[in-house]
Amino acid sequence: MRSLSQFLNDYGDSHQNPLNQWIHIVCVPAILISTLGLLWLIPIGNWLGLSGTVAEWVNGATLLAALSGIVYLRLSIGVFVLMAGWFALSAWIIQSVLSAGWSLFWTSLVVWLVAWAIQVYGHKVEGKKPSFVEDLVFLLIGPIFVSVEFAAKLGIPVPHAQGTHGKHNQGGPVQGH
């Protein structure tokens, strides 16, 4: 498996345009959260005969999170912690939508479709196809990339951000293996 630096370098190749970067900073989290919202509706816990709160939390989203967590842990403990934070935020948003009495299906589907449409526009501006067309693992790398790039845009020194010291900063504590 490629290292975290290699993944982020490769992902960054098709995300050089500042407008496309900002589109991704907004839309990748929206896609992540809405995808998990849609997967939350797959009642694996019920299928397994579980009941109550346990059944609610054993679903397509938590299964994807667990499987993705293995990939993130292989990249680095820092990436695993970052993405666990993204999952926790997503679960909180999902629970908020459910508590508000909104349709999780329709809310997630509309956000998912709009965010993907905007991302397609971003890649049209960029003039390059999305990274995941070549390798589906890049669907898991997108949230890491936008987290790093957003932090860098805020002036937070983070490893792996696209910057002035070459294409990507290679140092720092979030190094992959």
Side-chain angles (χ1 to χ4, degrees):
M1 185 161 97
R2 287 178 268 191
S3 71
L4 177 60
S5 294
Q6 290 168 320
F7 273 123
L8 292 174
N9 282 335
D10 292 346
Y11 192 93
D13 285 342
S14 60
H15 300 87
Q16 298 293 310
N17 181 285
L19 176 61
N20 191 32
Q21 288 175 356
W22 279 108
I23 286 171
H24 278 66
I25 286 170
V26 172
C27 290
V28 166
I31 290 167
L32 171 66
I33 295 165
S34 61
T35 298
L36 291 174
L38 291 168
L39 293 173
W40 196 273
L41 298 169
I42 301 173
I44 295 171
N46 289 337
W47 297 344
L48 295 174
L50 304 173
S51 61
T53 304
V54 173
E56 177 188 348
W57 283 84
V58 178
N59 57 57
T62 57
L63 177 61
L64 176 64
L67 294 174
S68 299
I70 295 167
V71 173
Y72 292 137
L73 195 53
R74 288 195 61 188
L75 290 172
S76 80
I77 189 72
V79 166
F80 178 82
V81 170
L82 170 70
M83 294 312 299
W86 271 113
F87 179 77
L89 175 65
S90 299
W92 178 78
I93 291 171
I94 289 165
Q95 291 301 310
S96 297
V97 168
L98 292 169
S99 294
W102 299 345
S103 167
L104 182 58
F105 175 77
W106 288 109
T107 303
S108 297
L109 183 63
V110 168
V111 169
W112 193 86
L113 290 171
V114 169
W116 272 112
I118 295 169
Q119 290 242 118
V120 168
Y121 171 74
H123 278 284
K124 180 177 172 132
V125 169
E126 181 80 45
K128 294 183 181 175
K129 61 187 172 186
S131 302
F132 75 84
V133 171
E134 297 295 325
D135 186 346
L136 289 176
V137 175
F138 282 111
L139 290 170
L140 299 176
I141 301 303
I144 303 165
F145 180 83
V146 299
S147 297
V148 167
E149 292 305 314
F150 184 64
K153 287 180 185 306
L154 292 176
I156 300 169
V158 290
H160 308 292
Q162 295 183 5
T164 57
H165 299 93
K167 190 170 167 187
H168 289 275
N169 179 354
Q170 300 295 316
V174 189
Q175 283 289 54
H177 316 351

